[in-house]
Amino acid sequence: MKTVVIYASKYGSTRGIAEFIAGKLRQAGTQAEARHVGKVHNPGDYEAFVIGSAVYMMHWLKEATEFVKGNSALLANRPVWFFSSGPLGTETKDAQGQDLRAVTEPKEIAEFRELIKPRDHRVFFGVLDSSKLGFGHRMLRKLPAARNLLPEGDFRDWNDIEAWSISISRVLATPQATP
Ligand SMILES: Cc1cc2nc3c(=O)[nH]c(=O)nc-3n(C[C@H](O)[C@H](O)[C@H](O)COP(=O)(O)O)c2cc1C
């Protein structure tokens, strides 16, 4: 099944996740490629979609949201998986003991669930490399409230991402499970 892993990424770490997922799908025998959201000119050519975005201020990047909304009729008729790359740090729970991946779910996802009925949405931990940040993001990170939420480091959990990729490849290998 011809599958595309579409990503929106400001500093490259979400692209890394998308390329890793595409690689795992290929290893499992699925025809898959990773593409920046701005480079997907004929989405109708694909039979299945994995779509992910970096998260900033609780939102997906605009180009990814626009892609999903602009292609909602197509996506609602294809198997679709969403992922978000966001939270930082080694803690998996917040101060109230809630799962960070649940509390950091971007605002768009509830609407996407209604519109597209995706197979799944996953939040993966992300990356912050302060040497790459643009001016605005560097200033934001200096605010006392942001400091604890935005620690520096690469927190991507490749085992978690691999397990999710394998679960997708299993569904794609079962044609009767897809529309
Ligand atoms: C200024 C700033 C704001 C951020 N806001 C959020 C946020 O609201 N929620 C979240 O989960 N992650 C947030 N992050 C973390 C990013 O989503 C994370 O660094 C991600 O891996 C970046 O992906 P990219 O390298 O593909 O751009 C923020 C990072 C920065 C620098």
Side-chain angles (χ1 to χ4, degrees):
M1 192 168 281
K2 195 174 173 193
T3 302
V4 63
V5 184
I6 297 173
Y7 62 87
S9 177
K10 203 159 176 58
Y11 300 114
S13 65
T14 310
R15 182 184 69 222
I17 293 174
E19 286 170 350
F20 180 87
I21 293 171
K24 290 291 156 193
L25 294 179
R26 283 194 298 271
Q27 273 178 22
T30 301
Q31 189 189 347
E33 60 180 1
R35 279 198 166 248
H36 182 267
V37 65
K39 297 266 165 67
V40 182
H41 303 301
N42 296 306
D45 289 352
Y46 297 100
E47 296 162 288
F49 294 80
V50 181
I51 307 174
S53 174
V55 183
Y56 290 94
M57 315 311 283
M58 294 298 288
H59 288 282
W60 266 25
L61 290 170
K62 196 166 150 234
E63 59 268 35
T65 300
E66 285 176 356
F67 179 87
V68 172
K69 291 189 176 173
N71 292 287
S72 60
L74 170 74
L75 295 174
N77 282 299
R78 298 277 195 280
V80 176
W81 288 260
F82 290 123
F83 71 92
S84 302
S85 139
L88 301 165
T90 50
E91 298 295 331
T92 54
K93 302 215 158 139
D94 70 4
Q96 286 74 43
Q98 291 174 290
D99 189 327
L100 259 183
R101 285 167 297 195
V103 296
T104 59
E105 182 172 287
K107 305 280 188 211
E108 292 75 18
I109 300 302
E111 186 186 351
F112 291 174
R113 280 204 184 93
E114 286 287 312
L115 263 181
I116 313 290
K117 308 265 184 299
R119 302 298 171 115
D120 197 10
H121 166 251
R122 277 294 172 94
V123 172
F124 295 123
F125 278 71
V127 177
L128 193 141
D129 175 350
S130 61
S131 70
K132 285 190 181 171
L133 294 183
F135 179 76
H137 281 172
R138 219 173 317 138
M139 289 301 115
L140 258 176
R141 195 167 167 259
K142 289 203 164 123
L143 297 173
R147 277 211 155 260
N148 290 341
L149 290 172
L150 301 174
E152 175 133 20
D154 184 344
F155 305 101
R156 288 173 294 184
D157 180 343
W158 297 111
N159 289 332
D160 193 21
I161 300 166
E162 179 173 16
W164 192 62
S165 309
I166 290 168
S167 75
I168 293 173
S169 70
R170 290 209 178 106
V171 175
L172 293 175
T174 317
Q176 65 269 29
T178 58

